[in-house]
Amino acid sequence: MALAGKIVPDESAALRERLNEAAAQIAAVILGKDTEIRLALTALFAGGHLLIEDVPGVGKTTLAKALSRTLGLGFRRIQFTSDLLPADVVGVSIYRPDSGTFDFHPGPIFTSVVLADELNRATPKTQSALLEAMAEAQVSTDGRTLPLPKPFFVIATQNPHDQAGAYPLPESQLDRFLLTISLGLPNREAERHLLRRDAHQEILDNLPPLFDSAAVLAIQQQVAHLHVSDALLDYVQDLLAASRSTGAFRHGLSPRAGLALLAAGRAHAYLAGRDFALPEDIKAVFVALARHRLTPLNEIRDGIGPQLDRLLEDVPVP
């Protein structure tokens, strides 16, 4: 997958060029999903988290593994079930009789890329164990606050709500995710290529790291300082106002959602090789950012996507 755009001739040019290679490497494993891969990278480099909504078996776990291996980041998978406890996520303190002290044994959340698989099958109490970690990149246990590795990126998956044992995530949990994507089924050509592969898992396991944690953090810093014009701020505010006044949603987008929209737009612009964000970047991430934050007033047979598309069409681009 090519990350099109004019490369800015500065000290970050090498990082930007390697991003093209990284995106292509991930796309060689997740076939026919260039847009979804771009949005996953956008969420990571914007410093946010990603929610994947889809049925089992379409490549959600493969995407998480391919991304972590390509970027050279530690990876752990947590299978969320109805009997999973918060200590199974965060960790537990074990008493040592010989010293009369407690030793903390970190849980699987202490890594850079966490795959929270089937998050909406867990109880709200266990889901909430992720809240502080996602918002503050830290966990509190036994009166201590422990920092998580940097970068820290949660990729959560949730099954459709009509499947057995699946429950909607609360709004406070949903708001912690920067973007939501759905991989969907591959097209016929991509599926045929996948069926012909004899060693898919071997290919995934042997992906070479093209980055490391220091490089990812450097990119996140550059993204955070990408230029945003006053005209683009006007456009973002117009989108926020339209979501509140259209009458189609229970609540419009919050100011925090506006900050998230700017962060995602900056990261999208960086992936396009620019040092400034454009309205096109905001439009490219808007649906993925808003779909899990807005609740329609009326049931929509075709989902919320068409309403968000209409909102984008109705708000003029400066």
Side-chain angles (χ1 to χ4, degrees):
M1 179 185 70
L3 296 174
K6 181 180 179 181
I7 300 300
V8 178
D10 57 19
E11 69 279 359
S12 67
L15 286 177
R16 294 172 187 264
E17 183 58 33
R18 284 160 60 196
L19 278 174
N20 287 321
E21 300 176 35
Q25 180 167 290
I26 298 171
V29 179
I30 307 295
L31 304 174
K33 301 297 178 182
D34 290 0
T35 298
E36 290 76 11
I37 293 170
R38 181 190 293 268
L39 288 173
L41 291 170
T42 295
L44 170 60
F45 293 131
H49 305 285
L50 181 70
L51 179 64
I52 306 178
E53 298 179 321
D54 227 321
V55 296
V58 295
K60 301 186 294 291
T61 302
T62 301
L63 172 61
K65 288 183 176 180
L67 187 147
S68 63
R69 292 181 189 278
T70 296
L71 298 180
L73 301 175
F75 172 81
R76 296 290 296 273
R77 176 178 176 270
I78 307 173
Q79 179 63 54
F80 279 75
T81 58
S82 59
D83 58 352
L84 191 74
L85 300 175
D88 297 325
V89 176
V90 175
V92 63
S93 293
I94 298 178
Y95 180 69
R96 296 184 56 183
D98 55 336
S99 62
T101 60
F102 287 88
D103 282 350
F104 178 70
H105 291 247
I109 201 172
F110 283 85
T111 191
S112 283
V113 178
V114 176
L115 175 61
D117 208 5
E118 297 185 306
L119 178 61
N120 60 333
R121 290 193 182 276
T123 63
K125 184 177 182 180
T126 302
Q127 290 177 10
S128 67
L130 281 178
L131 279 175
E132 181 187 11
M134 293 174 64
E136 306 293 341
Q138 65 183 29
V139 297
S140 297
T141 179
D142 296 332
R144 295 182 298 167
T145 298
L146 303 174
L148 293 167
K150 294 182 179 181
F152 178 68
F153 183 46
V154 173
I155 302 175
T157 73
Q158 71 168 356
N159 294 331
H161 299 156
D162 57 357
Q163 290 198 354
Y167 304 95
L169 295 175
E171 292 179 358
S172 59
Q173 183 82 7
L174 286 172
D175 195 53
R176 295 299 189 270
F177 292 99
L178 181 68
L179 302 178
T180 299
I181 64 172
S182 176
L183 292 177
L185 295 173
N187 59 39
R188 187 174 181 86
E189 180 182 356
E191 188 173 40
R192 185 59 168 257
H193 188 75
L194 179 64
L195 292 173
R196 285 186 180 277
R197 285 183 174 176
D198 296 325
H200 178 265
Q201 186 61 45
E202 182 179 346
I203 294 172
L204 179 61
D205 291 341
N206 292 320
L207 289 178
L210 303 180
F211 289 82
D212 57 22
S213 58
V216 173
L217 288 172
I219 292 174
Q220 288 182 337
Q221 286 280 357
Q222 293 171 17
V223 166
H225 293 92
L226 223 65
H227 176 70
V228 172
S229 67
D230 287 341
L232 190 66
L233 292 177
D234 288 339
Y235 182 54
V236 169
Q237 286 193 285
D238 289 344
L239 288 172
L240 298 179
S243 73
R244 299 162 186 166
S245 63
T246 181
F249 310 110
R250 292 180 185 173
H251 306 285
L253 293 172
S254 68
R256 182 161 64 183
L259 291 172
L261 183 56
L262 282 173
R266 284 187 170 103
H268 192 274
Y270 186 94
L271 289 170
R274 286 181 271 103
D275 62 351
F276 55 89
L278 296 173
E280 287 75 8
D281 298 307
I282 300 298
K283 295 177 72 172
V285 302
F286 180 76
V287 173
L289 180 133
R291 61 182 290 197
H292 62 286
R293 289 181 166 89
L294 295 176
T295 303
L297 281 175
N298 302 312
E299 190 69 25
I300 306 173
R301 186 173 64 179
D302 298 327
I304 195 174
Q307 281 198 324
L308 295 176
D309 289 335
R310 284 194 294 273
L311 190 151
L312 280 175
E313 292 174 1
D314 293 341
V315 176
V317 175

